[in-house]
Amino acid sequence: MKLVRFGAAGAEKPGLIDDNGDLRDLSAHTMDIAGETLSPEGLTALAALDPSSLPRIPHEQRFGPCVSATGKFICIGLNYSDHAREAGLPVPTEPIIFMKATSAICGPDDDLVIPRGATKTDWEVELGVVIGKTAKHVGKEDALEHVAGYCVLNDVSERAFQNERQGQWTKGKSCDTFGPTGPWLVTRDEIADPQNLSMWLTVNGEMMQSGSTQTMVFGVAELVSYLSDFMSLQPGDIISTGTPPGVGMGLSPQRYLKAGDVVELGIEGLGKQKQLCVSYG
């Protein structure tokens, strides 16, 4: 299934995209794409519905973040071997973990607001993993059973805040609108191999990133297992799994986003996003 949340910000309704590409309203069957709805039992119940029996919604709708009530937004740094080389850094021997504030989460096509005082706002197309069943000390072989599905993420970063100010990376990753998520949550059964998905990102139509999840250092199953040894993973939690090369910081000369720029990105089978960059205020 391709699950969505549609409508005005803060008032989104749950829906799905049917096999014809039409948007269908799930409001009569679930309150939101969150919590128990993401469990194996919840997803099975939704999958049993006949999409043609659900109200069809006109496509002139804003898509919100494809999952709601996210408790943790966990990011993995330098998780693509070719991106680590681009950054001039060694390939990690263990996952590099940092957190992104959940207040950064926004719709996939919402405006990307360049923060006040920002000078180096950067892009990062990433595979998002949404947890559907609580995971604690799970083995790699069982880890994917705890995944509800996958989505497109743009791990927007303000590099000056991240790298040139004291403290941790979080403040350069957590500005409002720095977590476009969606458009769809594609359930795990539709993705045969999360380690074989092409991904891309353009700025003003120019290809900046073109890669594949094949070059991940730590795959989805390994990340879920690893993280579950340090914290419980709960339904609605998001893992942003890293980015391939082509970020602005890695270019020579470096290039960063400015008001008026248009960022488009997508992942095979998971849809695409489009953001207009605007100045704060």
Side-chain angles (χ1 to χ4, degrees):
M1 291 179 293
K2 295 181 174 68
L3 300 175
V4 299
R5 300 174 67 250
F6 64 94
E12 292 94 347
K13 295 181 179 180
L16 62 77
I17 304 297
D18 68 18
D19 290 342
N20 296 319
D22 290 329
L23 173 60
R24 301 284 181 166
D25 190 349
L26 280 172
S27 297
H29 300 277
T30 183
M31 293 289 292
D32 209 343
I33 309 300
E36 286 301 312
T37 297
L38 298 169
S39 70
E41 296 79 12
L43 294 178
T44 297
L46 293 184
L49 299 173
D50 177 5
S52 65
S53 70
L54 304 172
R56 183 178 175 276
I57 305 298
H59 265 293
E60 296 75 38
Q61 299 286 333
R62 168 188 174 270
F63 282 146
C66 59
V67 64
S68 183
T70 296
K72 296 188 287 298
F73 197 159
I74 308 164
C75 299
I76 309 299
L78 298 176
N79 194 35
Y80 282 68
S81 55
D82 39 8
H83 176 51
R85 288 194 297 270
E86 170 187 58
L89 296 169
V91 174
T93 57
E94 284 192 58
I96 296 172
I97 303 169
F98 60 95
M99 307 296 280
K100 195 177 185 89
T102 56
S103 54
I105 297 172
C106 63
D109 301 326
D110 290 348
D111 287 348
L112 194 168
V113 180
I114 297 175
R116 183 172 62 184
T119 57
K120 297 181 178 180
T121 302
D122 206 348
W123 55 83
E124 295 187 20
V125 58
E126 306 205 0
L127 173 67
V129 178
V130 177
I131 298 298
K133 183 172 72 171
T134 299
K136 181 68 174 177
H137 298 304
V138 300
K140 181 179 175 181
E141 66 279 5
D142 299 320
L144 293 185
E145 296 177 11
H146 298 263
V147 172
Y150 305 97
C151 62
V152 181
L153 287 170
N154 188 357
D155 177 20
V156 185
S157 310
E158 171 47 44
R159 303 299 190 187
F161 295 174
Q162 177 187 356
N163 298 323
E164 299 170 17
R165 305 280 291 271
Q166 293 184 358
Q168 298 180 340
W169 289 0
T170 300
K171 61 181 175 291
K173 297 283 189 171
S174 296
C175 303
D176 292 351
T177 75
F178 271 25
T181 303
W184 314 314
L185 171 61
V186 180
T187 52
R188 179 168 54 90
D189 59 293
E190 289 206 14
I191 302 301
D193 183 2
Q195 305 311 144
N196 189 27
L197 301 175
S198 60
M199 53 206 308
W200 57 272
L201 181 146
T202 66
V203 178
N204 300 328
E206 179 182 356
M207 187 66 71
M208 308 306 296
Q209 292 185 274
S210 179
S212 170
T213 57
Q214 290 179 343
T215 65
M216 275 188 184
V217 180
F218 307 103
V220 173
E222 188 169 3
L223 289 173
V224 171
S225 175
Y226 181 86
L227 290 168
S228 77
D229 280 341
F230 299 98
M231 64 191 86
S232 61
L233 302 176
Q234 298 161 337
D237 286 351
I238 297 172
I239 305 169
S240 197
T241 57
T243 197
V247 299
M249 183 175 64
L251 301 177
S252 183
Q254 293 179 340
R255 175 176 168 182
Y256 296 107
L257 296 170
K258 62 184 184 303
D261 285 344
V262 176
V263 181
E264 297 182 77
L265 59 149
I267 299 177
E268 179 183 356
L270 302 182
K272 62 182 181 178
Q273 304 182 352
K274 182 177 182 179
Q275 295 114 32
L276 172 66
C277 299
V278 301
S279 297
Y280 176 82

